[in-house]
Amino acid sequence: MGTRQELFRSAVDVLHSGRSLDIVGEHGSGRTHFLRRVGDYFVGLGWRTITVTGLPAFAQTPMVALAVAGLGDLHDSRPTSIAASVRSLSDAITPGRTLIVVDDSDDLDDFSAGVIRTVQTSAMTPVLSSRLVHRTQRSGAVSAGGFTTTYAMRLPPMAYGELEAALEAHVGFRIEPGTLSRVFAKSGGN
């Protein structure tokens, strides 16, 4: 286990090598922020990021997560077919210059996950996903076997110094040590 900066560098290395990465962490551990930070890094390099978010409200409705992400259309309030979604996602990919980001993959419907896995395997595109540590990957948005290699990375709570730096950068001034200690104690670094 390392600092967030060390984990960030490791994540970038894994994704640059063409492998996929699954970020696991507790509620409030900063999984979404970490995904955004890694995605922004690749955008800065000229890559395209395609972001899909798993939502519990849509977990039982096939293909809505992809339609909400702009991949496929809605016809009469229903998403397009699986084949049309595969085509739409495949067309959005620039080989070797695209990263698929799936936030809260444990809440992604099985059909959307299947489309992502199909395109991931055929286009050899890395996928960066996140999920809660105590929940198993229900849908398997990121392939854990087959023709792709996926690594898992546990995102720990922030260390005291990391929390101090993040809060001070956010508010723009130094936080009194007693207040910072209370925030750290109550949040557990999350």
Side-chain angles (χ1 to χ4, degrees), residues 1-17:
M1 184 170 354
T3 66
R4 299 271 169 140
Q5 185 60 28
E6 292 168 339
L7 293 173
F8 170 77
R9 286 192 300 265
S10 295
V12 167
D13 287 345
V14 167
L15 295 166
H16 261 301
S17 72

Side-chain angles (χ1 to χ4, degrees), residues 82-155:
I82 292 171
S85 293
V86 167
R87 269 191 311 278
S88 178
L89 182 55
S90 294
D91 291 346
I93 290 177
T94 303
R97 305 290 292 168
T98 303
L99 175 66
I100 300 172
V101 179
V102 182
D103 195 11
D104 293 328
S105 67
D106 43 358
D107 287 323
L108 193 64
D109 67 275
D110 291 335
F111 291 94
S112 294
V115 167
I116 292 169
R117 285 186 66 180
T118 299
V119 173
Q120 172 194 13
T121 302
S122 65
M124 297 177 56
T125 301
V127 175
L128 174 63
S129 66
S130 71
R131 65 181 167 88
L132 288 171
V133 70
H134 299 295
R135 290 174 67 182
T136 59
Q137 264 189 297
R138 189 179 69 72
S139 60
V142 176
S143 178
F147 301 109
T148 60
T149 302
T150 301
Y151 294 96
M153 180 183 290
R154 174 90 186 250
L155 194 60

